[in-house]
């Protein structure tokens, strides 16, 4: 793919994200437009652009017990979950890689930290809770819904 084609497709993708985020911000129930004009955030913070997967994983973990689990069993894909919530649409390696990468980003940013020695349990840090609140409000994530259902709002 040429650089020009790549940039055109990337820009189109980012424009679609902005459009969806703005629409979600308007729907968000806790936005009080009489107090201030809400400026939607498209997952941008001091770490750069925040993909949807780590945002959802962090927000749901912070709303629950603050723990994220990465469970590996012989013969099946690694499972990533939090507070009994399932994030993987299926048990494929592709889905596993998607959510393991999300967890790895949260670890890299210092928003979650490993607990124990096996690399199976992670806890949200103080900064992670702050970021989770920010992401939940600005992306209008409804944690009363199952993650897979809520994620549909962010798919293209």
């Amino acid at each position: 793919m040429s650089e020009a084609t790549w940039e055109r497709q990337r820009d189109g993708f980012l424009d679609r994200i902005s459009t969806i985020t703005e629409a979600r911000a308007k729907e968000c129930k806790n936005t009080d437009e009489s107090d201030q004009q809400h400026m939607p955030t498209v997952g941008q913070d001091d770490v750069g652009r925040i993909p949807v997967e780590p945002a959802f994983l962090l927000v749901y973990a912070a709303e629950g017990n603050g723990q994220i689990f990465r469970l590996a069993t012989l013969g099946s894909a690694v499972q990533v979950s939090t507070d009994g919530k399932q994030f993987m649409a299926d048990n494929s390696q592709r889905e596993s890689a998607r959510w393991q990468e999300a967890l790895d980003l949260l670890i890299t940013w210092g928003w979650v930290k490993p607990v124990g020695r096996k690399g199976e349990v992670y806890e949200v840090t103080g900064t992670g809770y702050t970021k989770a609140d920010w992401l939940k409000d600005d992306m209008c994530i409804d944690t009363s819904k199952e993650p897979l259902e809520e994620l549909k709002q962010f798919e293209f």
Side-chain angles (χ1 to χ4, degrees), residues 13-25:
F13 176 76
L14 294 175
D15 288 343
R16 287 193 307 267
I17 290 174
S18 294
T19 301
I20 290 169
T21 304
E22 288 171 8
R24 292 275 302 188

Side-chain angles (χ1 to χ4, degrees), residues 21-22 24-25 28 30 38-44 132-141 154:
T21 304
E22 288 171 8
R24 292 275 302 188
C28 191
N30 61 3
H38 181 72
M39 295 302 292
T41 304
V42 188
Q44 187 116 13
D133 293 341
W134 176 80
L135 288 165
K136 182 180 179 187
D137 290 344
D138 286 354
M139 294 175 73
C140 297
I141 298 173
F154 293 86

Side-chain angles (χ1 to χ4, degrees), residues 53-71 79-88 99 103 106 112 120-124 129 143 145-147:
E53 290 85 357
F56 266 70
L57 192 56
L58 182 67
V59 167
Y60 275 89
E63 283 293 308
N65 62 8
Q67 294 184 329
I68 299 172
F69 301 96
R70 183 189 317 214
L71 302 174
Q79 299 287 312
V80 176
S81 65
T82 181
D83 199 32
K85 305 282 185 183
Q86 181 61 278
F87 290 86
M88 294 174 56
W99 291 101
L103 178 56
L106 295 174
V112 299
E120 293 180 339
V121 182
Y122 300 83
E123 286 185 349
V124 177
Y129 278 107
T143 54
K145 295 180 182 176
E146 287 296 313

